[in-house]
Amino acid sequence: MTVLLREFVRDPLATASITPSSAALTRAMVRPVPRAAPVVVELGPGTGVFTAALQERAPGRHVAVELHPGLAAALGERFPQVEVVTGSAQDLPAILAERGVRTVDAVVSGLPWAAYAGGDLPRTIASVLGPRGVFTQFTYTWTRWAPPSRRQLGQLRAAFDELVLTRTIWANVPPALVYCARRPVERSG
């Protein structure tokens, strides 16, 4: 049994998929990340498909936050140059503060909807992004109109000035698309 499948069986709401993302989806997720030694946060790295692509595209400081200890341990062994943290994306500001990081250039997320249910994760992500930062998150096309997906989209639109959706990436199982968010909205008051 693969690590992803084992984690999915153990906690299906907290594990986004039982198969790794395709090369086409991976390219779409990391394409917006700046190449010049960025500070990148990866949320829900799983088995490291996006991690490998990020290391190839933009080797800078890379913090990967994984909720599942087994996946985090395997990721840390595979990518010793990445700062792998076992923790929740909801704790991102504290995780970064512990590492002396104030703002990041990019956040790449493979998190499932369940991660967005308890609070306003897009605002948390926006709070750590620099003014030119970018946030990418994928969603499956066939679930895009479900209530959790619509809630997530509403949160993204409230937290960012710009939200662009890619075309459907048919070369993924299941087909997916990528949300690319820029320009965090400043909270008033």
Side-chain angles (χ1 to χ4, degrees), residues 44-173:
T47 60
V49 173
F50 298 157
T51 311
L54 286 166
Q55 288 298 298
E56 184 178 313
R57 177 179 173 80
R61 187 163 186 191
H62 185 163
V63 178
V65 181
E66 175 56 56
L67 188 61
H68 299 289
L71 290 173
L75 194 73
E77 288 176 22
R78 184 172 169 207
F79 298 99
Q81 70 278 26
V82 174
E83 297 171 59
V84 179
V85 179
T86 302
S88 170
Q90 300 290 351
D91 300 326
L92 185 57
I95 289 168
L96 293 174
E98 288 171 3
R99 285 154 184 76
V101 177
R102 294 179 57 147
T103 61
V104 301
D105 300 301
V107 176
V108 174
S109 173
L111 294 175
W113 288 336
Y116 288 82
D120 193 348
L121 187 55
R123 281 227 191 265
T124 300
I125 292 165
S127 76
V128 301
L129 276 176
R132 299 178 134 204
V134 63
F135 169 55
T136 60
Q137 169 73 52
F138 74 90
T139 189
Y140 297 121
T141 55
W142 60 279
T143 60
R144 203 168 138 215
W145 305 111
S149 186
R150 289 193 316 241
R151 181 178 55 248
Q152 178 189 43
L153 182 59
Q155 289 175 336
L156 287 168
R157 286 185 171 142
F160 294 92
D161 253 353
E162 177 184 312
L163 181 64
V164 176
L165 282 70
T166 65
R167 292 182 176 166
T168 299
I169 301 163
W170 296 104
N172 192 71
V173 177

Side-chain angles (χ1 to χ4, degrees), residues 6-19:
R6 184 173 54 247
E7 293 298 334
F8 184 82
V9 168
R10 199 175 290 155
D11 192 356
L13 295 178
T15 305
S17 178
I18 60 170
T19 61

